[in-house]
Amino acid sequence: MILVVGGAGYIGSHLVKELVLTEEVVVLDNGSTGHFSSIADGVSIVQGDLGNPEVLKSIFTKYPIKAVMHFAANSLIGESVENPLKYYKNNVAATLALLETMMEFNIKNFIFSSTAATYGIPTVDLITEETPTYPINPYGKSKLMIEDILEDFYDAYGLNYVVLRYFNAAGAHISGEIGERHDPETHLIPIILEHLLGEREKISIFGTDYETSDGTCIRDYIHVTDLAKAHILALEALLEGKVGKEIYNLGNGRGYSVKEVVDMCQKVTGRKAIIEYAKRRPGDPAKLVASSQRIYEDFGWRPKYRLEEIIETAWKWHSQ
Ligand code: UFG
């Protein structure tokens, strides 16, 4: 049995859809940002907070948990700057409570959702796991704090873990059954598609004076099912005792500017966007592109979906 914390969320629910094919799964989620309706059939669901030891103890007593996969976090950079307490409380303190209870129950396998935001403003073209981490906002810092805690727990308590640093998660399940649903929505691709569906008047491009080919920010968009597949490989390796403490980037290794993403959305949908050029959004690095060479070498993971297919799946989901 695998415990998926935050399994009702965007990335968690896509993982659960894959994981349930091979493992028994229990999801713990408080429903704050996720949707219980997104959880695949056949999964046990517990509604509660991961920071609540009583809830965790009851799960660990009831189910024979082999590993914990942790997706539950607040993940909006701007919000983290305005309300750091929320981020240190929900992302750091609550995760520590989870780890403490795991140690009490001798559960020693852990997969942690981390982020490209741990790198801050990198000076390299392609970010590897060796690129120095200097997060510039409380969100990135909160994730890096847990990464540091995990390393100490590995040394002191023998906790085996895999940290996965996602770049820009995007797209929807190929079935069209689940997809990205945030409230409020702040992410680029869903915002463009909502506009193209007539749900928003226009889109804003934040910043046109970055030092990039067309002046807009470059990101590495990675399909949510590709992310899910990487988790399955990491879990297998953990359960087979093949890895102890590992960190992997997850991206496509190809950057797209905001303008290129808008163009691709127009191409996929055959619709024309109304664009407003706005000033920079605070805290946005010019360029974040991953090298995912390490996880390819260790687990043979390669992303399957390119930007066009990412947008096609997202469009299928959004237009339903
Ligand atoms: N953007 C716009 N207009 C919008 C929304 C976004 O121009 O309406 C731009 C942003 O300025 C940025 C790019 O589109 O340059 C992507 O923005 P997103 O908000 O979609 O994603 P971010 O890169 O800001 O952040 C995402 C996750 C973070 C994670 C980060 C890692 O939300 O949790 O990727 O790369 F840390």
Side-chain angles (χ1 to χ4, degrees):
M1 193 89 165
I2 309 295
L3 171 62
V4 181
V5 184
Y10 170 45
I11 301 171
S13 61
H14 284 78
L15 171 275
V16 167
K17 219 169 161 56
E18 300 298 315
L19 186 62
V20 79
L21 302 174
T22 52
E23 296 279 355
E24 285 194 280
V25 181
V26 55
V27 163
L28 169 65
D29 202 298
N30 65 7
S32 61
T33 56
H35 310 274
F36 290 106
S37 58
S38 301
I39 301 174
D41 292 341
V43 172
S44 306
I45 300 171
V46 178
Q47 184 166 7
D49 283 318
L50 77 131
N52 181 343
E54 295 318 310
V55 176
L56 293 172
K57 282 177 190 166
S58 72
I59 294 173
F60 293 149
T61 307
K62 187 167 174 194
Y63 302 104
I65 302 294
K66 294 189 284 189
V68 175
M69 304 173 91
H70 178 20
F71 296 84
N74 295 114
S75 61
L76 298 177
I77 287 166
E79 184 190 52
S80 81
V81 176
E82 279 157 30
N83 192 358
L85 178 62
K86 178 174 176 182
Y87 280 70
Y88 293 123
K89 222 163 135 180
N90 292 349
N91 293 4
V92 182
T95 301
L96 199 55
L98 167 67
L99 291 171
E100 184 178 10
T101 315
M102 281 176 62
M103 295 307 97
E104 211 180 305
F105 283 77
N106 207 27
I107 297 165
K108 296 282 174 72
N109 294 311
F110 190 62
I111 296 184
F112 181 61
S113 300
S114 189
T115 169
T118 54
Y119 293 109
I121 304 179
T123 51
V124 294
D125 268 344
L126 217 50
I127 299 170
T128 71
E129 294 80 358
E130 270 78 45
T131 301
T133 44
Y134 297 116
I136 56 164
N137 48 62
Y139 169 61
K141 287 181 194 170
S142 73
K143 290 288 182 177
L144 194 59
M145 282 176 192
I146 296 298
E147 291 192 14
D148 288 342
I149 290 170
L150 291 175
E151 194 174 2
D152 292 339
F153 276 38
Y154 171 87
D155 292 337
Y157 313 128
L159 172 71
N160 298 308
Y161 67 88
V162 176
V163 163
L164 298 171
R165 289 182 180 153
Y166 314 151
F167 281 63
N168 286 58
H173 195 267
I174 191 132
S175 63
E177 287 167 11
I178 52 173
E180 193 168 6
R181 252 200 293 175
H182 297 110
D183 188 20
E185 189 52 78
T186 62
H187 294 98
L188 181 62
I189 293 174
I191 282 180
I192 301 170
L193 297 181
E194 284 171 19
H195 164 61
L196 294 174
L197 279 167
E199 295 166 11
R200 290 172 188 266
E201 230 173 85
K202 57 177 190 240
I203 55 166
S204 303
I205 291 185
F206 299 139
T208 50
D209 57 352
Y210 285 95
E211 281 182 28
T212 58
S213 48
D214 64 17
T216 66
C217 285
I218 292 176
R219 293 289 181 274
D220 183 339
Y221 297 87
I222 177 79
H223 195 275
V224 64
T225 299
D226 281 327
L227 292 182
K229 295 259 163 71
H231 287 76
I232 305 280
L233 295 174
L235 178 68
E236 282 168 9
L238 264 182
L239 295 179
E240 287 167 14
K242 288 187 185 154
V243 288
K245 54 168 185 175
E246 301 295 341
I247 296 178
Y248 297 105
N249 285 342
L250 294 178
N252 259 307
R254 160 84 160 88
Y256 288 90
S257 74
V258 174
K259 275 188 186 159
E260 286 174 322
V261 173
V262 174
D263 288 346
M264 188 64 89
C265 289
Q266 295 185 132
K267 181 182 161 207
V268 165
T269 62
R271 299 184 185 191
K272 184 110 191 74
I274 301 167
I275 302 167
E276 169 193 72
Y277 294 97
K279 60 181 186 354
R280 292 183 179 198
R281 191 173 67 174
D284 275 343
K287 181 176 175 186
L288 291 172
V289 181
S291 160
S292 298
Q293 187 61 21
R294 179 182 282 174
I295 189 161
Y296 171 64
E297 280 167 14
D298 285 7
F299 303 156
W301 178 82
R302 274 225 169 119
K304 193 175 136 202
Y305 295 85
R306 313 232 150 247
L307 183 66
E308 186 163 3
E309 297 151 322
I310 289 174
I311 294 170
E312 279 166 6
T313 58
W315 181 241
K316 181 173 174 186
W317 155 254
H318 277 280
S319 45
Q320 275 170 17

